[in-house]
Amino acid sequence: MFHRFRRLRINPQLQNLVRESSVSVNDFIYPLFVRPGEGIKTEVASMPGVYQMSIDEVLKECESLKALGLYSIILFGIPAVKDSVGSDALCSHGIIASAIRAIKAAHPEMFVVTDLCFCEYTDHGHCGIIDTQRETVDNDATLELSAKQALVHAKAGADMIAPSGMMDGIIQTLRSALDEGGYNELPIMAYSTKFASGYYGPFRDVAESVPSFGNRSSYQMDPANRLEAIAESIEDEAQGADILMVKPALAYLDIVRDIKENTSRPLAVYNVSGEYAMLKFAGREGLIDYDRVLMETMIGFKRAGANIIISYHAKEVAKLLGH
Ligand code: PBG
Ligand code: ZN
């Protein structure tokens, strides 16, 4: 009999020795949604276990993240006031700048990544400045304001900047702005492959960023396109991205592999809100063994080629890993 494959599956220690991929707390970045106020911790209906928090609550949350061995977070802001240009994101006393300063003061060992975009800060909910005549996002006007936003994050003490608006030329623009501002050691994690996806639905509830007209398909990528995804990642790498990303993750693991093979920067996947919600609600209904499916999903990301996993599940994973 031909038992070549079974031989390595019988002894659990041997299985440990030959396992090709693994998941560790070191792989994770945990998203946090910050809003003004005090003592606010509001659960999002479509994402059980995910909260909008005021800064004081975020500081407490960092304490429990550290206890779980999780030291990296990505911040999203929900400002008090939204306007046509997203002024709150450009102000050194805006919600994100204030959150970064407070976190770095209370928890200097936390690695604070900032999502750089305009959709959470604009009254129209688009990821950039609107060209009112063409009723679309003005790429170059958005670049200019993005450079300002990056410097606001940098000055407040951000450890890494992650532009998510999918504007052409954003990486080059931010790299020069940061270098000129004296922040040449501040890394950029590009949302290099961000598809126009229905999986972002629950996020737009929590970030209150549903576009008031149209959709994001004039700047986010067509889910049907593989070569375009590779080309844009190569372009972002050439413009100076330090880390690349594929988002969403689950329906795009082929793209993760493609980009891993065509670029040489570390690669992140964003396990997005809709993916989180699907697992959560299936688990709640008793339809799946939640913990098992969760870990299987995470290992899938690593096996596909991801180095970093941005996930709302990070705390649950840390607990399952024994932290
Ligand atoms: C903002 C941004 C979005 C996400 C991350 N940054 C939403 C969007 O493009 O609508 C989605 C994250 C998620 O769904 O978990 N540009
Ligand atoms: Zn956006």
Side-chain angles (χ1 to χ4, degrees), residues 26-30 72 74 111 113 160-162 188-195 233 241-250 252-253 255-257 259-260 263-272 275 298 300-302 304-311:
N26 295 330
D27 301 331
F28 285 87
I29 301 179
Y30 187 62
S72 299
I74 180 163
F111 186 76
V113 185
M160 181 157 77
I161 302 210
I188 298 174
M189 175 167 70
Y191 281 70
S192 41
T193 307
K194 182 172 178 184
F195 290 100
S233 299
D242 298 287
I243 297 178
L244 301 169
M245 192 198 298
V246 175
K247 175 183 172 197
L250 265 184
Y252 299 92
L253 292 185
I255 305 291
V256 173
R257 171 55 53 190
I259 288 171
K260 193 68 200 166
T263 61
S264 56
R265 304 270 83 190
L267 182 58
V269 286
Y270 200 134
N271 174 214
V272 301
E275 298 171 337
M298 299 299 132
F301 298 150
K302 294 295 296 290
N307 306 100
I308 298 168
I309 303 171
I310 304 168
S311 179

Short mmCIF file of all heavy atoms in Angstrom, two decimals, residues 26-30 72 74 111 113 160-162 188-195 233 241-250 252-253 255-257 259-260 263-272 275 298 300-302 304-311:
data_model
loop_
_atom_site.label_atom_id
_atom_site.label_comp_id
_atom_site.label_asym_id
_atom_site.label_seq_id
_atom_site.Cartn_x
_atom_site.Cartn_y
_atom_site.Cartn_z
N ASN A 26 1.88 37.94 16.83
CA ASN A 26 2.74 38.92 16.15
C ASN A 26 2.27 39.26 14.74
O ASN A 26 2.73 40.23 14.15
CB ASN A 26 4.17 38.39 16.06
CG ASN A 26 4.81 38.24 17.42
OD1 ASN A 26 4.47 38.98 18.34
ND2 ASN A 26 5.70 37.29 17.57
N ASP A 27 1.37 38.45 14.19
CA ASP A 27 0.91 38.68 12.82
C ASP A 27 -0.18 39.76 12.73
O ASP A 27 -0.53 40.17 11.64
CB ASP A 27 0.30 37.38 12.24
CG ASP A 27 1.29 36.23 12.22
OD1 ASP A 27 2.49 36.49 12.12
OD2 ASP A 27 0.84 35.06 12.31
N PHE A 28 -0.74 40.16 13.89
CA PHE A 28 -2.00 40.90 13.83
C PHE A 28 -1.92 42.41 14.05
O PHE A 28 -1.11 42.90 14.83
CB PHE A 28 -2.97 40.32 14.86
CG PHE A 28 -3.55 39.01 14.40
CD1 PHE A 28 -2.87 37.82 14.65
CD2 PHE A 28 -4.72 38.97 13.65
CE1 PHE A 28 -3.37 36.62 14.19
CE2 PHE A 28 -5.22 37.78 13.18
CZ PHE A 28 -4.55 36.59 13.45
N ILE A 29 -2.81 43.09 13.33
CA ILE A 29 -3.09 44.51 13.60
C ILE A 29 -4.58 44.58 13.92
O ILE A 29 -5.41 44.05 13.16
CB ILE A 29 -2.77 45.41 12.39
CG1 ILE A 29 -1.29 45.28 11.99
CG2 ILE A 29 -3.12 46.86 12.70
CD1 ILE A 29 -0.91 46.13 10.77
N TYR A 30 -4.92 45.20 15.03
CA TYR A 30 -6.31 45.26 15.48
C TYR A 30 -6.92 46.64 15.20
O TYR A 30 -6.37 47.66 15.62
CB TYR A 30 -6.36 44.97 16.99
CG TYR A 30 -7.75 44.84 17.56
CD1 TYR A 30 -8.61 43.84 17.14
CD2 TYR A 30 -8.20 45.74 18.52
CE1 TYR A 30 -9.89 43.72 17.66
CE2 TYR A 30 -9.48 45.62 19.06
CZ TYR A 30 -10.32 44.61 18.62
OH TYR A 30 -11.58 44.49 19.15
N SER A 72 -0.15 45.99 18.08
CA SER A 72 -0.34 46.83 16.89
C SER A 72 -1.81 47.11 16.66
O SER A 72 -2.64 46.19 16.67
CB SER A 72 0.25 46.14 15.65
OG SER A 72 1.63 45.95 15.83
N ILE A 74 -4.71 49.69 14.28
CA ILE A 74 -4.94 50.66 13.21
C ILE A 74 -6.15 51.50 13.61
O ILE A 74 -7.19 50.95 14.01
CB ILE A 74 -5.09 50.01 11.82
CG1 ILE A 74 -5.32 51.07 10.74
CG2 ILE A 74 -6.21 48.95 11.77
CD1 ILE A 74 -5.07 50.60 9.31
N PHE A 111 2.14 50.00 18.78
CA PHE A 111 2.51 50.41 17.43
C PHE A 111 1.24 50.93 16.77
O PHE A 111 0.30 50.19 16.51
CB PHE A 111 3.09 49.23 16.65
CG PHE A 111 3.62 49.62 15.31
CD1 PHE A 111 4.84 50.28 15.18
CD2 PHE A 111 2.89 49.35 14.16
CE1 PHE A 111 5.33 50.65 13.93
CE2 PHE A 111 3.37 49.72 12.90
CZ PHE A 111 4.59 50.37 12.80
N VAL A 113 -0.84 52.46 13.88
CA VAL A 113 -1.00 52.67 12.44
C VAL A 113 -2.22 53.56 12.24
O VAL A 113 -3.21 53.42 12.98
CB VAL A 113 -1.22 51.32 11.71
CG1 VAL A 113 -1.26 51.51 10.20
CG2 VAL A 113 -0.18 50.29 12.12
N MET A 160 3.02 54.32 11.72
CA MET A 160 2.95 53.90 10.31
C MET A 160 1.67 54.48 9.72
O MET A 160 0.66 54.58 10.41
CB MET A 160 2.97 52.37 10.18
CG MET A 160 2.93 51.88 8.74
SD MET A 160 3.60 50.20 8.55
CE MET A 160 2.26 49.19 9.17
N ILE A 161 1.75 54.86 8.44
CA ILE A 161 0.60 55.50 7.79
C ILE A 161 0.07 54.58 6.70
O ILE A 161 0.85 54.05 5.89
CB ILE A 161 1.02 56.86 7.23
CG1 ILE A 161 1.56 57.68 8.40
CG2 ILE A 161 -0.13 57.53 6.49
CD1 ILE A 161 1.42 59.11 8.37
N ALA A 162 -1.24 54.39 6.70
CA ALA A 162 -1.84 53.45 5.75
C ALA A 162 -2.91 54.15 4.92
O ALA A 162 -4.07 54.25 5.32
CB ALA A 162 -2.44 52.27 6.50
N ILE A 188 5.17 53.44 5.24
CA ILE A 188 3.84 53.53 4.62
C ILE A 188 3.36 52.12 4.28
O ILE A 188 4.05 51.36 3.61
CB ILE A 188 3.89 54.38 3.33
CG1 ILE A 188 4.32 55.81 3.63
CG2 ILE A 188 2.53 54.36 2.62
CD1 ILE A 188 4.53 56.67 2.39
N MET A 189 2.19 51.80 4.78
CA MET A 189 1.54 50.53 4.39
C MET A 189 0.45 50.90 3.39
O MET A 189 -0.54 51.57 3.75
CB MET A 189 0.94 49.82 5.62
CG MET A 189 0.15 48.58 5.26
SD MET A 189 -0.25 47.53 6.70
CE MET A 189 -1.46 48.53 7.56
N ALA A 190 0.64 50.50 2.14
CA ALA A 190 -0.32 50.89 1.09
C ALA A 190 -1.51 49.95 1.07
O ALA A 190 -1.32 48.73 1.11
CB ALA A 190 0.37 50.85 -0.26
N TYR A 191 -2.71 50.50 1.03
CA TYR A 191 -3.85 49.66 0.67
C TYR A 191 -3.72 49.53 -0.86
O TYR A 191 -4.44 50.16 -1.62
CB TYR A 191 -5.16 50.36 0.99
CG TYR A 191 -5.64 50.35 2.44
CD1 TYR A 191 -4.98 51.08 3.43
CD2 TYR A 191 -6.80 49.64 2.80
CE1 TYR A 191 -5.47 51.10 4.73
CE2 TYR A 191 -7.28 49.66 4.10
CZ TYR A 191 -6.62 50.39 5.07
OH TYR A 191 -7.11 50.42 6.35
N SER A 192 -2.77 48.70 -1.28
CA SER A 192 -2.42 48.70 -2.71
C SER A 192 -3.46 48.03 -3.57
O SER A 192 -3.69 48.44 -4.71
CB SER A 192 -1.06 48.02 -2.89
OG SER A 192 -0.96 46.88 -2.07
N THR A 193 -4.08 46.97 -3.06
CA THR A 193 -5.13 46.30 -3.82
C THR A 193 -6.40 46.35 -3.00
O THR A 193 -6.62 45.54 -2.10
CB THR A 193 -4.77 44.83 -4.08
OG1 THR A 193 -3.47 44.77 -4.67
CG2 THR A 193 -5.78 44.18 -5.00
N LYS A 194 -7.22 47.36 -3.28
CA LYS A 194 -8.46 47.50 -2.54
C LYS A 194 -9.60 47.41 -3.53
O LYS A 194 -9.78 48.31 -4.37
CB LYS A 194 -8.48 48.83 -1.80
CG LYS A 194 -9.73 49.02 -0.96
CD LYS A 194 -9.61 50.25 -0.10
CE LYS A 194 -10.87 50.48 0.70
NZ LYS A 194 -10.80 51.73 1.46
N PHE A 195 -10.35 46.33 -3.44
CA PHE A 195 -11.43 46.11 -4.40
C PHE A 195 -12.68 46.87 -3.99
O PHE A 195 -12.92 47.09 -2.80
CB PHE A 195 -11.72 44.60 -4.49
CG PHE A 195 -10.61 43.82 -5.16
CD1 PHE A 195 -9.68 43.12 -4.42
CD2 PHE A 195 -10.50 43.83 -6.55
CE1 PHE A 195 -8.65 42.41 -5.04
CE2 PHE A 195 -9.47 43.12 -7.18
CZ PHE A 195 -8.55 42.42 -6.43
N SER A 233 0.05 46.89 -7.43
CA SER A 233 0.95 46.58 -6.31
C SER A 233 2.40 46.85 -6.70
O SER A 233 3.18 47.38 -5.91
CB SER A 233 0.80 45.12 -5.90
OG SER A 233 -0.51 44.90 -5.47
N ALA A 241 6.12 52.13 -1.30
CA ALA A 241 5.34 51.48 -0.24
C ALA A 241 6.24 50.50 0.50
O ALA A 241 7.01 49.76 -0.11
CB ALA A 241 4.15 50.73 -0.83
N ASP A 242 6.15 50.50 1.83
CA ASP A 242 6.97 49.60 2.64
C ASP A 242 6.29 48.27 2.87
O ASP A 242 6.93 47.25 3.07
CB ASP A 242 7.29 50.28 3.98
CG ASP A 242 8.07 51.55 3.74
OD1 ASP A 242 9.25 51.46 3.40
OD2 ASP A 242 7.48 52.65 3.86
N ILE A 243 4.95 48.32 2.90
CA ILE A 243 4.15 47.11 3.07
C ILE A 243 2.99 47.22 2.08
O ILE A 243 2.44 48.31 1.89
CB ILE A 243 3.62 47.00 4.53
CG1 ILE A 243 4.80 46.87 5.51
CG2 ILE A 243 2.64 45.83 4.68
CD1 ILE A 243 4.39 46.80 6.98
N LEU A 244 2.64 46.12 1.46
CA LEU A 244 1.51 46.11 0.52
C LEU A 244 0.32 45.42 1.19
O LEU A 244 0.48 44.76 2.20
CB LEU A 244 1.90 45.38 -0.77
CG LEU A 244 3.10 45.99 -1.50
CD1 LEU A 244 3.60 45.05 -2.60
CD2 LEU A 244 2.76 47.36 -2.09
N MET A 245 -0.86 45.56 0.58
CA MET A 245 -2.05 44.97 1.21
C MET A 245 -3.04 44.50 0.16
O MET A 245 -3.15 45.10 -0.91
CB MET A 245 -2.74 46.01 2.10
CG MET A 245 -3.83 45.44 3.01
SD MET A 245 -4.95 46.69 3.63
CE MET A 245 -3.84 47.73 4.55
N VAL A 246 -3.74 43.44 0.50
CA VAL A 246 -4.89 43.00 -0.29
C VAL A 246 -6.12 43.10 0.60
O VAL A 246 -6.12 42.63 1.74
CB VAL A 246 -4.72 41.56 -0.79
CG1 VAL A 246 -5.99 41.09 -1.51
CG2 VAL A 246 -3.53 41.45 -1.73
N LYS A 247 -7.18 43.66 0.05
CA LYS A 247 -8.39 43.88 0.81
C LYS A 247 -9.59 43.82 -0.11
O LYS A 247 -9.54 44.50 -1.15
CB LYS A 247 -8.29 45.26 1.47
CG LYS A 247 -9.51 45.69 2.20
CD LYS A 247 -9.34 47.07 2.74
CE LYS A 247 -10.69 47.51 3.28
NZ LYS A 247 -10.78 48.89 3.47
N PRO A 248 -10.67 43.11 0.20
CA PRO A 248 -10.82 42.17 1.30
C PRO A 248 -9.88 40.98 1.15
O PRO A 248 -9.13 40.90 0.19
CB PRO A 248 -12.28 41.71 1.16
CG PRO A 248 -12.95 42.68 0.24
CD PRO A 248 -11.86 43.19 -0.64
N ALA A 249 -10.00 40.04 2.10
CA ALA A 249 -9.05 38.93 2.11
C ALA A 249 -9.64 37.64 1.54
O ALA A 249 -9.10 37.05 0.60
CB ALA A 249 -8.57 38.69 3.55
N LEU A 250 -10.77 37.22 2.11
CA LEU A 250 -11.25 35.85 1.86
C LEU A 250 -11.54 35.52 0.41
O LEU A 250 -11.16 34.46 -0.08
CB LEU A 250 -12.50 35.58 2.69
CG LEU A 250 -12.24 34.91 4.03
CD1 LEU A 250 -13.57 34.61 4.71
CD2 LEU A 250 -11.45 33.62 3.84
N TYR A 252 -10.27 36.80 -2.07
CA TYR A 252 -9.17 37.28 -2.91
C TYR A 252 -7.83 36.61 -2.58
O TYR A 252 -6.77 37.19 -2.78
CB TYR A 252 -9.06 38.81 -2.78
CG TYR A 252 -10.33 39.50 -3.23
CD1 TYR A 252 -11.34 39.81 -2.32
CD2 TYR A 252 -10.54 39.79 -4.57
CE1 TYR A 252 -12.53 40.39 -2.74
CE2 TYR A 252 -11.71 40.39 -5.00
CZ TYR A 252 -12.70 40.68 -4.07
OH TYR A 252 -13.87 41.26 -4.50
N LEU A 253 -7.88 35.38 -2.10
CA LEU A 253 -6.63 34.74 -1.70
C LEU A 253 -5.74 34.40 -2.91
O LEU A 253 -4.52 34.28 -2.77
CB LEU A 253 -6.90 33.49 -0.85
CG LEU A 253 -7.50 33.80 0.54
CD1 LEU A 253 -7.63 32.52 1.36
CD2 LEU A 253 -6.67 34.81 1.30
N ILE A 255 -5.28 36.47 -5.28
CA ILE A 255 -4.57 37.74 -5.49
C ILE A 255 -3.44 37.88 -4.47
O ILE A 255 -2.36 38.39 -4.77
CB ILE A 255 -5.55 38.93 -5.36
CG1 ILE A 255 -6.75 38.77 -6.31
CG2 ILE A 255 -4.84 40.25 -5.57
CD1 ILE A 255 -6.42 38.88 -7.76
N VAL A 256 -3.70 37.41 -3.24
CA VAL A 256 -2.65 37.45 -2.22
C VAL A 256 -1.44 36.68 -2.72
O VAL A 256 -0.30 37.15 -2.68
CB VAL A 256 -3.16 36.83 -0.88
CG1 VAL A 256 -2.03 36.71 0.13
CG2 VAL A 256 -4.30 37.68 -0.32
N ARG A 257 -1.69 35.48 -3.23
CA ARG A 257 -0.58 34.66 -3.75
C ARG A 257 0.09 35.34 -4.93
O ARG A 257 1.32 35.42 -5.02
CB ARG A 257 -1.14 33.27 -4.13
CG ARG A 257 -0.19 32.36 -4.86
CD ARG A 257 1.11 32.13 -4.13
NE ARG A 257 0.94 31.68 -2.75
CZ ARG A 257 1.93 31.59 -1.87
NH1 ARG A 257 3.16 31.90 -2.22
NH2 ARG A 257 1.69 31.19 -0.64
N ILE A 259 0.31 38.48 -5.66
CA ILE A 259 1.08 39.66 -5.28
C ILE A 259 2.33 39.25 -4.51
O ILE A 259 3.40 39.84 -4.68
CB ILE A 259 0.18 40.66 -4.55
CG1 ILE A 259 -0.75 41.26 -5.61
CG2 ILE A 259 0.99 41.74 -3.84
CD1 ILE A 259 -1.83 42.09 -5.11
N LYS A 260 2.19 38.22 -3.70
CA LYS A 260 3.36 37.70 -2.99
C LYS A 260 4.45 37.30 -4.00
O LYS A 260 5.63 37.52 -3.78
CB LYS A 260 2.94 36.49 -2.15
CG LYS A 260 3.97 36.08 -1.14
CD LYS A 260 4.09 37.14 -0.06
CE LYS A 260 5.41 37.04 0.67
NZ LYS A 260 5.65 38.25 1.47
N THR A 263 5.96 40.67 -6.03
CA THR A 263 6.55 41.81 -5.32
C THR A 263 7.46 41.26 -4.22
O THR A 263 7.41 40.07 -3.92
CB THR A 263 5.47 42.69 -4.65
OG1 THR A 263 4.76 41.90 -3.71
CG2 THR A 263 4.50 43.27 -5.66
N SER A 264 8.22 42.15 -3.59
CA SER A 264 9.10 41.64 -2.53
C SER A 264 8.96 42.38 -1.21
O SER A 264 9.81 42.31 -0.34
CB SER A 264 10.55 41.68 -3.00
OG SER A 264 10.87 42.99 -3.37
N ARG A 265 7.87 43.12 -1.06
CA ARG A 265 7.61 43.78 0.22
C ARG A 265 6.76 42.86 1.10
O ARG A 265 6.05 42.00 0.58
CB ARG A 265 6.83 45.08 -0.03
CG ARG A 265 7.49 46.06 -0.97
CD ARG A 265 8.40 47.03 -0.26
NE ARG A 265 9.72 46.48 -0.01
CZ ARG A 265 10.63 47.05 0.75
NH1 ARG A 265 10.38 48.20 1.33
NH2 ARG A 265 11.80 46.51 0.92
N PRO A 266 6.79 43.05 2.42
CA PRO A 266 5.86 42.30 3.28
C PRO A 266 4.41 42.59 2.84
O PRO A 266 4.11 43.69 2.37
CB PRO A 266 6.13 42.87 4.67
CG PRO A 266 7.50 43.46 4.59
CD PRO A 266 7.67 43.94 3.19
N LEU A 267 3.56 41.59 3.01
CA LEU A 267 2.19 41.71 2.51
C LEU A 267 1.18 41.54 3.65
O LEU A 267 1.27 40.61 4.45
CB LEU A 267 1.96 40.63 1.44
CG LEU A 267 0.61 40.60 0.75
CD1 LEU A 267 0.31 41.93 0.06
CD2 LEU A 267 0.56 39.46 -0.27
N ALA A 268 0.22 42.47 3.68
CA ALA A 268 -0.85 42.39 4.67
C ALA A 268 -2.16 42.00 3.98
O ALA A 268 -2.34 42.29 2.80
CB ALA A 268 -1.03 43.76 5.35
N VAL A 269 -3.04 41.33 4.72
CA VAL A 269 -4.42 41.17 4.24
C VAL A 269 -5.33 41.88 5.22
O VAL A 269 -5.05 41.92 6.42
CB VAL A 269 -4.89 39.70 4.15
CG1 VAL A 269 -4.26 39.00 2.97
CG2 VAL A 269 -4.68 38.93 5.44
N TYR A 270 -6.39 42.48 4.70
CA TYR A 270 -7.40 43.07 5.56
C TYR A 270 -8.62 42.16 5.56
O TYR A 270 -9.31 42.03 4.57
CB TYR A 270 -7.77 44.48 5.07
CG TYR A 270 -8.43 45.34 6.14
CD1 TYR A 270 -8.03 46.65 6.36
CD2 TYR A 270 -9.45 44.84 6.95
CE1 TYR A 270 -8.63 47.44 7.34
CE2 TYR A 270 -10.05 45.61 7.93
CZ TYR A 270 -9.63 46.91 8.12
OH TYR A 270 -10.24 47.68 9.10
N ASN A 271 -8.80 41.47 6.69
CA ASN A 271 -9.94 40.58 6.92
C ASN A 271 -11.12 41.50 7.32
O ASN A 271 -11.28 41.84 8.48
CB ASN A 271 -9.52 39.62 8.04
CG ASN A 271 -10.59 38.68 8.55
OD1 ASN A 271 -10.61 38.35 9.73
ND2 ASN A 271 -11.46 38.23 7.69
N VAL A 272 -11.90 41.90 6.33
CA VAL A 272 -12.78 43.06 6.50
C VAL A 272 -14.07 42.78 7.29
O VAL A 272 -14.38 41.63 7.63
CB VAL A 272 -13.15 43.70 5.14
CG1 VAL A 272 -11.91 44.15 4.39
CG2 VAL A 272 -13.99 42.73 4.30
N GLU A 275 -16.58 40.06 6.31
CA GLU A 275 -16.05 38.72 6.57
C GLU A 275 -16.21 38.38 8.06
O GLU A 275 -16.57 37.26 8.43
CB GLU A 275 -14.57 38.66 6.17
CG GLU A 275 -14.34 38.90 4.69
CD GLU A 275 -12.86 39.06 4.32
OE1 GLU A 275 -12.04 39.41 5.18
OE2 GLU A 275 -12.54 38.84 3.16
N MET A 298 -7.72 32.05 9.45
CA MET A 298 -6.46 32.78 9.67
C MET A 298 -5.29 32.04 9.02
O MET A 298 -4.42 32.65 8.40
CB MET A 298 -6.20 32.98 11.17
CG MET A 298 -7.26 33.78 11.88
SD MET A 298 -7.43 35.46 11.24
CE MET A 298 -9.20 35.57 11.05
N GLY A 300 -5.45 30.15 6.54
CA GLY A 300 -5.61 30.33 5.09
C GLY A 300 -4.92 31.59 4.60
O GLY A 300 -4.29 31.60 3.53
N PHE A 301 -5.03 32.65 5.38
CA PHE A 301 -4.37 33.91 4.99
C PHE A 301 -2.86 33.74 4.96
O PHE A 301 -2.17 34.18 4.05
CB PHE A 301 -4.72 35.05 5.98
CG PHE A 301 -6.19 35.39 6.04
CD1 PHE A 301 -6.74 35.89 7.23
CD2 PHE A 301 -7.02 35.24 4.94
CE1 PHE A 301 -8.09 36.23 7.31
CE2 PHE A 301 -8.37 35.57 5.02
CZ PHE A 301 -8.91 36.07 6.20
N LYS A 302 -2.35 33.07 6.01
CA LYS A 302 -0.90 32.89 6.08
C LYS A 302 -0.41 31.97 4.96
O LYS A 302 0.60 32.24 4.32
CB LYS A 302 -0.51 32.30 7.45
CG LYS A 302 -0.77 33.22 8.64
CD LYS A 302 0.08 34.49 8.64
CE LYS A 302 1.57 34.29 8.76
NZ LYS A 302 2.02 33.83 10.08
N ALA A 304 -1.71 31.52 2.10
CA ALA A 304 -1.80 32.21 0.81
C ALA A 304 -0.61 33.14 0.57
O ALA A 304 -0.31 33.50 -0.56
CB ALA A 304 -3.11 32.99 0.72
N GLY A 305 0.06 33.54 1.67
CA GLY A 305 1.23 34.40 1.50
C GLY A 305 1.22 35.67 2.32
O GLY A 305 2.13 36.49 2.20
N ALA A 306 0.19 35.85 3.16
CA ALA A 306 0.15 37.07 3.97
C ALA A 306 1.15 36.99 5.11
O ALA A 306 1.35 35.94 5.71
CB ALA A 306 -1.26 37.26 4.54
N ASN A 307 1.78 38.13 5.40
CA ASN A 307 2.66 38.23 6.57
C ASN A 307 1.92 38.86 7.74
O ASN A 307 2.21 38.57 8.90
CB ASN A 307 3.87 39.11 6.26
CG ASN A 307 4.61 38.64 5.03
OD1 ASN A 307 4.45 39.20 3.95
ND2 ASN A 307 5.39 37.59 5.19
N ILE A 308 0.97 39.74 7.40
CA ILE A 308 0.27 40.53 8.42
C ILE A 308 -1.23 40.36 8.19
O ILE A 308 -1.69 40.35 7.04
CB ILE A 308 0.64 42.02 8.26
CG1 ILE A 308 2.14 42.22 8.46
CG2 ILE A 308 -0.18 42.91 9.20
CD1 ILE A 308 2.63 43.61 8.04
N ILE A 309 -1.98 40.22 9.30
CA ILE A 309 -3.44 40.09 9.19
C ILE A 309 -4.08 41.23 9.98
O ILE A 309 -3.87 41.34 11.20
CB ILE A 309 -3.92 38.74 9.75
CG1 ILE A 309 -3.24 37.57 9.02
CG2 ILE A 309 -5.44 38.64 9.65
CD1 ILE A 309 -3.51 36.20 9.67
N ILE A 310 -4.82 42.07 9.28
CA ILE A 310 -5.58 43.12 9.97
C ILE A 310 -6.95 42.53 10.22
O ILE A 310 -7.65 42.17 9.26
CB ILE A 310 -5.68 44.38 9.09
CG1 ILE A 310 -4.28 44.85 8.70
CG2 ILE A 310 -6.45 45.49 9.82
CD1 ILE A 310 -4.29 45.90 7.61
N SER A 311 -7.33 42.37 11.48
CA SER A 311 -8.57 41.64 11.74
C SER A 311 -9.25 42.05 13.03
O SER A 311 -8.60 42.23 14.06
CB SER A 311 -8.29 40.14 11.78
OG SER A 311 -9.47 39.42 12.04
#
